[in-house]
């Protein structure tokens, strides 16, 4: 069917309805990836929604597949989503109430539409959805997320749904086939992207915080969202930070919000990675993600009582313990700062070491530190081969990676919340990337990656204002304090395990190489430069 937008563009959608003559609520999924697949998307059983008494409307967004208009990522989703909701809620087969749901881009489109407060909208369920299109989507810590963005544009946006044929389609197909080469030399595909996806160049040109990004962002919609929101995400999802920001930002408005975080990456949702199995309870299907959606929409579109799940609004899978726990909020109440200082090659609790120390790391753009697991969305994402809790020992053996390791734990250490590294660095005059990884070292030596982050220092760029000791512009030969947000975790370090921190000058191809010349950076610790790792420890956890 065709649905008219306010500017006259027609967007096409498929409608699934229960076998009844009565008007029913409608659930809407708006997607850039084609409505021809599973109607509920990757995580939700769409036909189960229909069997449960909902109409299901699945729509191609503007300029994708069969829908009219030109596709420009992000900017039309608020207005088009609101128009679609209002149209659907006014149809005779609908009882006037509607819900929005979807994964990834679809989830962010749902939040943008909710910010328009369309007539009939009663609830939203964004899954693995970020909070903005600059930081956390296109960039992280100021670094361009080359691995995800380049592959997403070539594979997901151009290879299908863009209407390419002939030589253009053949050129895109060839580019996807040699994606590893393009990660090493992304400029080789610049002309192709300028011709077929000009928005990619705009993303490169406009850094985090540039006015270009002010056209739309879920975080800007928080004050306008007035319907309950169910947020789902994973500890290894590339948009985890954004999903947590969505939960906090909407909850601050006094709107009912719920949060579920599992041991999942963007595409691995069964809790099974090549090197780590979290157990049957970790599987999205065992958790019954479709049932969570139904409970959410039943309560807010139909006025039915809540199901039998936890009363607390936050439900987290604690890795290490490998179990689900319910909490009253996020950030989780009852945590306290657990500070570990970099001390030689150790991580030590208590006061900062008085003796100064330093290490020099060499950055070689021809042999950058390789991406090994973490919250990635690279070509192997569907099998977990390049994401999640991979063993870091091979990377740790490189001479351009510094490892700082704590003593074996004499009791379990439960960490729930955002982990932060503050490290003093004398960067090369050409600029620097400072990366950090939080690792759980098992008694057998396995070094399991939990989370990681990056902070980019451009030549002459100022460090983060909140970084202790930071002030002014980095001066060649002088250290600056750099804050690296490693990410959020819900993890139990078991007795006998050790906490490890890795510090390096890159993580490629997850992030683009910077600088593009050989560089040397000095990492300081102790004395006047108390580099430290901050973990939110759950008291009594």
């Amino acid at each position: 069917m065709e649905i008219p937008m306010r500017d006259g563009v027609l967007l096409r959608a498929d409608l699934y309805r229960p076998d009844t003559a009565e008007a029913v609520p409608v659930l809407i999924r708006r997607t850039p990836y084609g409505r021809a697949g599973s109607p509920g998307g990757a995580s939700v059983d769409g036909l189960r929604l229909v069997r449960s008494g909902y109409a299901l409307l699945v729509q191609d967004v503007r300029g994708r597949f069969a829908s009219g208009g030109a596709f420009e990522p992000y900017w039309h989703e608020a207005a088009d989503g609101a128009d679609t909701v209002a149209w659907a809620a006014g149809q005779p087969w609908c009882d006037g109430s509607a819900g929005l749901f979807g994964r990834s881009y679809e989830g962010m489109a749902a939040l943008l539409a909710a910010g328009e407060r369309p007539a009939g909208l009663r609830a939203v369920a964004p899954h693995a959805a970020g909070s903005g299109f600059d930081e956390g989507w296109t960039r992280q810590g100021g670094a361009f997320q080359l691995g995800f963005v380049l592959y997403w544009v070539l594979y997901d946006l151009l290879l299908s749904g863009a209407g390419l044929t002939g030589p253009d389609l053949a050129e895109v197909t060839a580019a996807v086939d040699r994606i590893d080469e393009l990660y090493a030399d992304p400029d080789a595909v610049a002309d192709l992207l300028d011709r077929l996806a000009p928005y990619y160049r705009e993303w490169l040109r406009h850094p985090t915080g540039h006015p270009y990004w002010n056209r739309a962002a879920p975080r800007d919609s928080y004050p306008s969202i007035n319907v309950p929101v169910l947020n789902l995400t994973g500890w290894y999802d590339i948009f985890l930070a954004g999903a947590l920001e969505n939960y906090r930002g909407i909850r601050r408005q006094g709107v009912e919000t719920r949060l579920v975080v599992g041991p999942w990456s963007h595409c691995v949702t069964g809790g099974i990675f090549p090197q780590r199995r979290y157990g049957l309870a970790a599987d999205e299907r065992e958790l019954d993600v479709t049932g969570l959606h139904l409970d959410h929409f039943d309560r807010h579109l139909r006025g039915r009582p809540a199901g039998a799940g936890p009363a607390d609004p936050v439900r987290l899978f604690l890795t290490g313990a490998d179990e689900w726990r319910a909490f009253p909020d996020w950030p989780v109440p009852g945590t306290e700062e657990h500070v570990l200082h970099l001390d030689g090659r150790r991580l030590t609790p208590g006061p900062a070491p008085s003796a100064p120390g330093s290490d020099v790391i060499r950055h070689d753009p021809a042999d950058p530190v390789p991406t090994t697991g973490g919250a990635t969305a690279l070509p192997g994402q569907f099998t977990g081969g390049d994401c999640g809790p991979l063993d870091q020992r091979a990377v740790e053996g490189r001479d351009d990676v510094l490892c700082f390791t704590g003593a074996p734990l004499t009791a379990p250490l439960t960490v729930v919340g955002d982990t932060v590294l503050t490290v003093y660095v004398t960067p090369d005059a050409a600029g620097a990337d400072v990366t950090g990884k939080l690792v759980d070292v098992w008694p057998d030596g396995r070094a399991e990656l939990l989370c990681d982050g990056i902070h980019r220092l451009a030549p002459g760029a100022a460090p983060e204002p909140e970084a202790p000791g930071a002030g002014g512009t980095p001066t060649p030969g002088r250290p600056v304090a750099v804050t690296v947000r490693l990410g959020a975790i819900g993890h139990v370090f078991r007795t006998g395990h050790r906490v490890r921190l890795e510090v390096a000058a890159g993580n490629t191809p997850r992030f683009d190489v910077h600088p593009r010349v050989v560089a040397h950076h000095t990492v300081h610790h102790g004395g006047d430069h108390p580099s430290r790792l901050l973990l939110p420890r759950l008291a009594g956890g």
Side-chain angles (χ1 to χ4, degrees), residues 116-444:
E116 299 287 303
R117 295 189 175 184
L121 185 64
R122 300 287 183 267
V124 183
H127 192 161
S131 58
F133 303 114
D134 50 359
E135 183 70 12
W137 182 284
T138 303
R139 286 179 174 79
Q140 181 176 329
F144 186 69
Q145 298 212 89
L146 175 68
F148 157 63
V149 177
L150 182 60
Y151 187 68
W152 178 56
V153 171
L154 288 172
Y155 181 79
D156 290 305
L157 300 185
L158 291 182
L159 198 59
S160 61
L164 301 182
T165 59
D168 285 344
L169 181 59
E171 193 171 354
V172 171
T173 300
V176 171
D177 287 341
R178 60 188 183 100
I179 190 69
D180 289 338
E181 297 175 25
L182 296 180
Y183 283 149
D185 182 19
D187 292 339
V189 77
D191 290 343
L192 171 68
L193 293 173
D194 286 347
R195 187 173 76 252
L196 302 179
Y199 43 81
Y200 184 89
R201 175 73 66 179
E202 295 300 305
W203 303 341
L204 285 173
R205 289 181 53 233
H206 297 105
T208 297
H210 190 279
Y212 168 82
W213 300 107
N214 294 342
R215 295 169 63 182
R219 65 172 65 93
D220 296 333
S221 300
Y222 299 159
S224 300
I225 294 176
N226 61 350
V227 297
V229 180
L230 169 66
N231 300 275
L232 299 100
T233 187
W235 294 124
Y236 292 100
D237 194 279
I238 191 172
F239 305 131
L240 168 64
L244 296 174
E245 183 183 358
N246 290 337
Y247 169 83
R248 294 192 302 268
I250 296 169
R251 188 170 177 82
R252 288 193 193 105
Q253 309 303 317
V255 175
E256 179 186 330
T257 55
R258 302 184 73 83
L259 173 67
V260 178
V261 187
W264 311 313
S265 69
H266 202 61
C267 292
V268 177
T269 60
I272 299 175
F273 293 86
Q275 300 176 4
R276 183 72 158 86
R277 292 174 175 262
Y278 291 104
L280 183 61
D283 195 323
E284 273 192 359
R285 291 171 296 182
E286 184 69 18
L287 180 66
D288 192 7
V289 164
T290 302
L292 294 178
H293 282 70
L294 283 170
D295 179 69
H296 181 64
F297 290 125
D298 282 350
R299 287 190 294 122
H300 301 297
L301 275 66
R302 289 171 156 167
R304 296 179 177 176
D312 285 324
V314 174
R315 193 174 182 184
L316 310 176
F317 189 93
L318 297 190
T319 56
D322 294 357
E323 65 182 14
W324 289 99
R325 291 268 305 273
F327 296 94
D329 204 359
W330 179 277
V332 171
T335 60
E336 56 190 18
E337 291 188 353
H338 181 62
V339 178
L340 297 172
H341 286 97
L342 281 62
D343 182 1
R345 291 301 181 91
R346 299 177 298 165
L347 286 176
T348 59
S354 58
S358 64
D359 296 278
V360 176
I361 50 177
R362 182 177 188 268
H363 162 73
D364 184 352
D367 182 26
V369 177
T371 298
T372 307
T376 63
L378 298 172
Q381 60 189 298
F382 296 100
T383 61
D386 59 7
C387 65
L390 296 189
D391 191 338
Q392 300 298 297
R393 281 177 288 185
V395 175
E396 292 172 352
R398 293 173 58 103
D399 59 11
D400 52 0
V401 176
L402 303 178
C403 292
F404 304 86
T405 307
L409 294 169
T410 58
L413 171 64
T414 301
V415 179
V416 186
D418 294 307
T419 62
V420 181
L421 166 66
T422 301
V423 61
Y424 288 81
V425 177
T426 301
D428 193 280
D433 278 351
V434 182
T435 69
K437 292 181 180 179
L438 179 61
V439 174
D440 181 346
V441 182
W442 291 52
D444 64 2

